[in-house]
Amino acid sequence: MSSSKKPIPGAPAAQPPQVPEQTVPHSPLPPKSDQRGPEMVSPTGVPTGAPAGSASQSGAYLTTAQGLRLSDTDHSLKAGTRGPTLLQDHHLREKITHFDHERIPERVVHARGAGAHGIFQSYGTGTRITRAGFLAKDVQTPVFVRFSTVAGSRGSADTVRDTRGFATKFYTDEGTFDLVGNNIPVFFIQDGIKFPDVVHSVKPHPDREIPQAQSAHDTFWDFVSLHTEAQAHTVWFMADRGIPRSFRTMEGFGVHTFRLVNADDQTSLVKFHWKPRLGVHSLVWEEALMINGVDPDFHRRDLANAIEAGAFPAWELGVQVFPDTDDEMFEGIDLLDPTKFIPEELAPVQPLGLMTLNANPKNYFAETEQVAFHPGHLVPGIDITNDPLLQARMFSYLDTQISRLGGPNFAQIPINRPQAPVNDMLRDGMHQSADYAGVAPYRPNSLDGGCPFHAGSQDGAFIDIPQPVAEGVKIRDAAATFDDHYSQATLFYRSLSTVEQSHVIEAYTFELGKCYETAIRERQLKSLANIDAGLCSGVAAGLGLPVPEPEQQPGNPQPSPAVSQVGRKWPTDGRVIGIVTDSGTDADKVLTARDAITAAGMVPLVIAPTGGMLTDTDEPVQRSYATAHSTEFDALLLATSETGEPVDPRILLMVTETFRHAKAIGGWGSAAAVLAAGAIDLSAAGLVLGEPEDVVTRVGELLTEHRVWKRFSA
């Protein structure tokens, strides 16, 4: 009797990778047995007779598109290890240009986004460090903000584990200023030439186009375990910041170090921060998975609903300020390394102004989809540094907009139009819609009376800050201070609370558990051993693999309490509270609770067995048992009655999920019986029983800490 062994989907390759990085060149591996390319035919359908695979790339060495072999694709060509990136770097330009044009028309990264309009109100505290007019006292500046995920397509879900984009367009009277950042202060890579590599690794596998919007697969972990400068960023989004509760509770960072100049031509180095008024809060992993199925538009819906309800989200813009020294270092940390952050305990964030988002877009495509950001959109008083990632972005973003938006005139699309006079001498091109006067779009000229004229500093011109460029050789390399890839990952992990650390271990275990190749898991464990022994052993236990010895002993950094999301209290504006009712509910008590929730600045949603009106009232219900789900609510109130009937299983599902996700639960009537039916111990943390007004008050107090964290540690 014979038996045939069927292949298992997702099985390792016939030639599995080895743990150490490959050093012996060889040709690309052949396709798997279940893969086949298109037939070799001519453009007119005639078979060519060429062997299968003859159109594939070949050769053991990395080359340019012209076949030129390359010795380095990890570093841009710079004027010395700390100098600016050179325009003559043909490899950087070819690599980035091709990457920028890979997908049409959605963004290569940050394809899925949500936007809103608002106002930035300056405090005037920034005038000592910058001459930027929008930071003068009491100046109000219109803004448009776009939040986004990084890896997924436009059709992907909102609550995937990912870095989030946080891009703000300031329509200042000196020109448009774009602050294009993320919700994590460090980045995967140190040099922009590596951006195509990290994005290619995290995108869906090219053979199957899966998984969508996820990093839990082999190619991503293969890259970050080999390119260890990515470890600092990776541990941030393996933590809870990778799954934000809302865009409204998400911190923003400019990532790079910028150079500011004030009215006296004095310069400072700064890092930009956005601090949400509601605090920084996240989902738990199971909750995020549920939301991806129940409501994949969760974050964009939450933002739009909050603005529509008048619970306008707000962030305070601030800066960490550093002396502009020759070495561009602070407390031993290289300010030009985008994989490093400066703990706020060493350099406090100094507030500059408040941004409030108060209007939703009228048309998603016209505004959120067509808005074009560029870190080179600067205003007088703000300039860039020689951060090699920022230097490459200065080229890449402009190039990308030309591809996505059909030509060089993307600034004329309404959402991108400056709210300052424009006289740029730029003419023609696709989608030109400006009505230009004059016949001489050049300088100098006499036919247009010499217009437009150069502006001086007294006229508000942008003046490039003179900066010495150190004498050196043009070289593909990085400064020695960029070599530390682990100390800040250690600092971040050890700054987290115990419950947050457990979430990090669970996230790594899940992500690496989705990899097919054991060698990749083992290699990443080696990096975790260099970060923290407890982190490594916890993940290794979950994967069923031995704990490796560290290649370098983790340091003992001073923790940064500002990194943790746990331990402080925050406003509860816009928090959503579900009120569960049934056919015998006391409607007066429900309305009392609803009014108390509204008065506290939160949002009540009444849940009933069916749609329609609350029993014996003309008050509408917002959710039925069929449409309500626990993930929509920050807390749940049980206003059920004593009916003697078994508890509806849909209520039990909501209650048990709410409890499991460490959310507050309150109630009256038969609330205790409902909790008991869900096998919930009435002495557990975060359960509040009593009269409606008192219950709302006490649940609101619990919500100031976002979750009932004690429930996780019980």
Side-chain angles (χ1 to χ4, degrees), residues 272-300:
F272 287 102
H273 293 247
W274 288 111
K275 296 288 188 182
R277 276 288 174 89
L278 299 180
V280 185
H281 307 299
S282 297
L283 301 167
V284 296
W285 179 233
E286 183 190 56
E287 185 183 18
L289 295 177
M290 291 177 175
I291 293 171
N292 282 339
V294 173
D295 184 7
D297 303 307
F298 184 78
H299 281 153
R300 62 171 63 181

Side-chain angles (χ1 to χ4, degrees), residues 363-529:
N363 182 278
Y364 182 89
F365 178 80
E367 299 165 73
T368 307
E369 185 63 18
Q370 290 197 120
V371 66
F373 297 96
H374 176 30
H377 293 164
L378 302 166
V379 291
I382 303 177
D383 205 346
I384 66 166
T385 60
N386 288 342
D387 174 337
L389 175 60
L390 179 56
Q391 292 271 316
R393 291 179 73 195
M394 295 293 286
F395 169 75
S396 180
Y397 277 65
L398 182 60
D399 182 53
T400 297
Q401 310 308 347
I402 293 171
S403 173
R404 284 197 68 245
L405 300 174
N409 292 309
F410 60 85
Q412 296 179 22
I413 296 172
I415 191 64
N416 296 321
R417 289 175 183 171
Q419 296 184 21
V422 174
N423 193 348
D424 55 18
M425 294 198 303
L426 304 177
R427 294 294 187 270
D428 305 336
M430 293 180 68
H431 309 301
Q432 175 62 255
S433 60
D435 182 15
Y436 288 104
V439 297
Y442 52 84
R443 274 193 55 83
N445 74 74
S446 62
L447 297 179
D448 284 342
C451 294
F453 297 95
H454 286 151
S457 58
Q458 72 279 3
D459 305 307
F462 180 88
I463 306 297
D464 294 285
I465 302 171
Q467 288 293 314
V469 177
E471 182 179 352
V473 296
K474 60 181 182 182
I475 187 172
R476 292 191 187 276
D477 203 354
T481 47
F482 280 46
D483 292 341
D484 174 16
H485 297 168
Y486 296 110
S487 67
Q488 287 225 319
T490 303
L491 167 62
F492 173 78
Y493 181 74
R494 294 185 183 173
S495 299
L496 301 179
S497 65
T498 301
V499 67
E500 290 172 299
Q501 288 184 347
S502 69
H503 292 168
V504 175
I505 292 172
E506 292 166 6
Y508 273 111
T509 304
F510 173 85
E511 296 261 329
L512 292 170
K514 299 288 281 187
C515 294
Y516 301 139
E517 303 291 355
T518 300
I520 292 173
R521 301 176 196 167
E522 293 176 349
R523 190 189 308 129
Q524 178 59 29
L525 283 174
K526 288 177 176 289
S527 283
L528 297 185

